[in-house]
Amino acid sequence: MAYTVGQVAKVAGVTVRTLHHYDEIGLLSPSGRTSAGYRRYDDADLQRLQLVLYYRELGFPLEEITAIIDDPAADPAAHLRRQHELLTVRLKRLQEMVTAIEFAMEASKMNIQLTPEERFEVFGDVDPEQHEAEAERRWGDTDAYRESNRRASRYGKDDWLRIKAENEDWGRRIVALMASGAPADSPEVMDLAEEHRQLISRWFYECSYEMQTGLADMYLADERFTAYYENIAAGLAAYLHEAIHANAISRA
Amino acid sequence: MAYTVGQVAKVAGVTVRTLHHYDEIGLLSPSGRTSAGYRRYDDADLQRLQLVLYYRELGFPLEEITAIIDDPAADPAAHLRRQHELLTVRLKRLQEMVTAIEFAMEASKMNIQLTPEERFEVFGDVDPEQHEAEAERRWGDTDAYRESNRRASRYGKDDWLRIKAENEDWGRRIVALMASGAPADSPEVMDLAEEHRQLISRWFYECSYEMQTGLADMYLADERFTAYYENIAAGLAAYLHEAIHANAISRA
DNA sequence: CTCCTGCCTGCCGTTACGTGAGAGTCAACT
DNA sequence: AGTTGACTCTCACGTAACGGCAGGCAGGAG
């Protein structure tokens, strides 16, 4: 069977230009042309294209793909291993960034000031030599920084009042429950943990159970977040932490 | 305080060329120049650069960063939320790819033939209309495909003999244990599960406990892998599955 | 005065294509 | 047969975010 560029493009989910490009660089030249100069692809070409797209999706540069496919002595398994490593690294990096961004969102929600160090935390590869005490102070909290942070919360006034009200209402109820001696894994407290999650989801960002337990851990691990809750009521940070975990487990 | 390009580049971990570029496109122009035309950056410039690098690391294009930073009405929280979504999507995609590549590695290790559909599995966004039954058959297993698959395992002959020997030895021992009635979570069997993991790590790819339990699940979920083990001994797939999980838990 | 290092501006190169421009081709419909 | 509309061809420049080099000043040390 023979196919035109357009047909190949459609079935493979790429553009015609992409096929032209692959022809130009010799990565995938059609096996023939019509008398009018139209490219004709056959099944073997499609096979090769499939391979090309496979490696491309895995993040190999086209030049390398050419080498991999054309060199019969090349070791595909070794490439897979290498690519696996690369992917794993990228995955880890992305995970860190997601965590960092969640941290930033939560902090801005609570109006907690991030240190410049933390704002740089998202960069995994901070050269320690470049970040000596002297250099760090340069990134300190100037007016410009504080202002940009103040802007970080930009709901309408009414929104903020509602958020505050809902939040305080929630706070009163959980403090009351804690004072009454209700265990953190009792249904009522777990309901409030669930409400905590939904409050975040509604006003700030979609918060899964996994993310919420991450936040709960952070409430204990980071003293500034601990202080925020301890300030409301002594022991609340740990209490909420336990309730969130219990709730997440029971809903799983 | 004023800094030269070189100093800024050093402390911020970027190249001088990058700063030139940011100046060119108006993303970050130094607040002044010396009489000789040298760029002079002050603390406010550094603040801005920090912000730029922050957003850059989060994957924003430079043009968008310019807009975000320069527009005082822009909502940083909204940007963070949006970026969080983007990151989450990319993360999920990467995770799928890692899984797919592990699947491919495991398959090539066992000399199991992947269907062309599975090889395309790594592409998350297959348009169903593009992949009708007719189109799918086009990607069928031709000679070229099978040959490329045969090449997928390229150890030296001696290596393969050793791998095979080790593998068969391991197989004999676990079959013997199973036949003796040893429970899958007994120490000896778990030791063999551990050996299974180290065998993979030594010959194929670094295999964590998490990955190994993933493989174990696959041994039950995918009938071709199940068949591979059931072929060795009836019940071995489930037995190994349990042993791997037990071992992973006990080592955690 | 010379040397070395740092800085300047231009400008071409890179990756994997996107996006036309201008012209020829194919199949169908009138 | 003519025309239309969809498809194809080959240039060839544009994109993002810089890398890297050339050729030429600037500034401080010896």
Side-chain angles (χ1 to χ4, degrees):
Chain A
M1 278 288 272
Y3 314 87
T4 68
V5 257
Q7 288 169 331
V8 173
K10 209 171 219 171
V11 67
V14 299
T15 68
V16 171
R17 180 64 180 90
T18 300
L19 294 174
H20 284 176
H21 183 59
Y22 290 172
D23 189 2
E24 270 177 40
I25 65 174
L27 174 54
L28 176 67
S29 299
S31 51
R33 298 275 187 135
T34 69
S35 55
Y38 283 25
R39 290 174 179 80
R40 306 255 83 181
Y41 294 84
D42 64 14
D43 285 307
D45 295 329
L46 290 189
Q47 284 293 337
R48 188 182 169 95
L49 175 58
Q50 180 198 11
L51 224 56
V52 167
L53 296 181
Y54 183 76
Y55 283 113
R56 184 185 74 165
E57 189 69 18
L58 292 178
F60 286 99
L62 297 187
E63 198 175 350
E64 207 164 327
I65 296 179
T66 314
I68 294 173
I69 299 184
D70 287 343
D71 179 8
D75 178 359
H79 284 291
L80 285 180
R81 271 197 300 279
R82 200 194 119 204
Q83 204 59 13
H84 184 262
E85 278 164 36
L86 290 178
L87 276 181
T88 310
V89 169
R90 272 163 57 186
L91 189 64
K92 204 176 143 209
R93 184 116 176 79
L94 263 185
Q95 265 160 348
E96 282 165 11
M97 288 177 61
V98 167
T99 311
I101 211 173
E102 279 168 8
F103 183 87
M105 287 193 296
E106 190 69 4
S108 92
K109 178 194 135 195
M110 293 189 182
N111 283 321
I112 290 177
Q113 305 248 346
L114 292 182
T115 68
E117 229 188 329
E118 285 162 344
R119 310 202 77 205
F120 261 119
E121 193 175 83
V122 76
F123 316 132
D125 52 348
V126 264
D127 184 348
E129 210 205 357
Q130 288 170 0
H131 272 258
E132 295 150 322
E134 201 205 273
E136 285 186 5
R137 243 173 291 118
R138 283 190 203 140
W139 300 105
D141 38 350
T142 64
D143 285 347
Y145 169 73
R146 248 178 271 124
E147 194 210 322
S148 94
N149 210 331
R150 239 178 281 128
R151 288 193 325 218
S153 18
R154 280 257 172 204
Y155 268 114
K157 197 173 185 179
D158 292 352
D159 295 324
W160 273 118
L161 288 177
R162 282 198 56 187
I163 293 172
K164 215 179 162 200
E166 285 188 25
N167 206 32
E168 282 172 1
D169 178 50
W170 172 87
R172 266 189 296 277
R173 282 182 288 144
I174 196 168
V175 166
L177 274 176
M178 185 171 69
S180 79
D185 58 353
S186 63
E188 309 84 35
V189 183
M190 277 167 34
D191 281 349
L192 280 182
E194 178 66 15
E195 213 174 290
H196 167 266
R197 194 180 66 85
Q198 284 167 5
L199 220 145
I200 295 178
S201 291
R202 190 164 54 249
W203 291 106
F204 300 100
Y205 48 91
E206 184 56 31
C207 183
S208 67
Y209 289 104
E210 207 184 336
M211 281 174 56
Q212 195 194 13
T213 56
L215 290 179
D217 293 344
M218 198 167 73
Y219 293 163
L220 284 186
D222 189 309
E223 53 185 17
R224 288 162 309 167
F225 287 107
T226 312
Y228 173 85
Y229 282 111
E230 290 299 303
N231 212 20
I232 300 176
L236 181 56
Y239 190 71
L240 177 59
H241 175 268
E242 196 184 338
I244 287 176
H245 274 273
N247 182 55
I249 289 170
S250 84
R251 310 261 177 178
Chain B
M1 278 287 271
Y3 314 88
T4 68
V5 257
Q7 288 169 332
V8 173
K10 210 172 219 170
V11 68
V14 299
T15 67
V16 170
R17 181 68 182 85
T18 298
L19 293 174
H20 283 176
H21 182 59
Y22 291 172
D23 190 1
E24 269 176 38
I25 65 173
L27 174 54
L28 176 67
S29 299
S31 50
R33 299 275 187 135
T34 69
S35 57
Y38 283 27
R39 289 175 179 79
R40 305 256 82 179
Y41 295 84
D42 64 15
D43 286 307
D45 295 330
L46 289 191
Q47 285 293 336
R48 188 183 169 94
L49 175 58
Q50 181 198 10
L51 224 56
V52 167
L53 295 181
Y54 184 76
Y55 283 114
R56 185 185 73 165
E57 190 68 20
L58 291 177
F60 287 98
L62 297 188
E63 200 175 347
E64 205 164 328
I65 296 179
T66 314
I68 294 173
I69 299 186
D70 287 342
D71 179 8
D75 179 0
H79 284 293
L80 284 180
R81 272 198 299 279
R82 197 193 124 206
Q83 203 59 12
H84 183 263
E85 278 164 35
L86 291 178
L87 276 181
T88 311
V89 169
R90 271 162 59 185
L91 189 63
K92 203 177 143 207
R93 185 117 176 75
L94 265 184
Q95 264 159 349
E96 283 165 10
M97 288 175 60
V98 168
T99 312
I101 212 172
E102 278 168 9
F103 182 88
M105 287 193 297
E106 190 66 7
S108 93
K109 177 195 138 195
M110 292 189 183
N111 283 321
I112 289 177
Q113 304 246 345
L114 291 182
T115 68
E117 227 187 332
E118 285 161 343
R119 311 202 76 203
F120 260 119
E121 193 175 84
V122 78
F123 314 131
D125 52 348
V126 266
D127 184 348
E129 210 205 359
Q130 289 171 0
H131 270 260
E132 295 150 322
E134 201 205 275
E136 286 186 3
R137 244 172 289 118
R138 284 192 202 138
W139 299 105
D141 39 350
T142 65
D143 287 346
Y145 169 71
R146 248 178 269 124
E147 194 209 322
S148 94
N149 209 332
R150 238 179 280 129
R151 287 194 326 218
S153 20
R154 280 261 172 200
Y155 268 116
K157 196 172 187 178
D158 291 352
D159 295 324
W160 273 118
L161 288 177
R162 282 198 55 189
I163 293 172
K164 212 177 164 203
E166 285 188 25
N167 206 31
E168 283 172 1
D169 178 49
W170 172 86
R172 263 190 297 278
R173 281 183 289 143
I174 194 166
V175 167
L177 274 176
M178 187 171 70
S180 79
D185 57 354
S186 63
E188 310 84 38
V189 183
M190 277 168 33
D191 281 349
L192 280 182
E194 179 66 17
E195 214 174 291
H196 167 266
R197 194 180 66 85
Q198 284 168 5
L199 219 145
I200 294 178
S201 291
R202 190 163 57 247
W203 291 106
F204 300 100
Y205 50 92
E206 184 56 30
C207 183
S208 67
Y209 289 104
E210 206 185 334
M211 281 174 52
Q212 195 193 15
T213 56
L215 290 179
D217 294 344
M218 198 168 75
Y219 292 162
L220 284 186
D222 189 307
E223 53 184 15
R224 289 162 308 169
F225 287 106
T226 313
Y228 173 86
Y229 282 111
E230 290 300 302
N231 212 20
I232 300 176
L236 180 56
Y239 190 72
L240 176 59
H241 174 270
E242 195 183 338
I244 287 175
H245 274 272
N247 183 56
I249 289 170
S250 83
R251 309 262 177 177

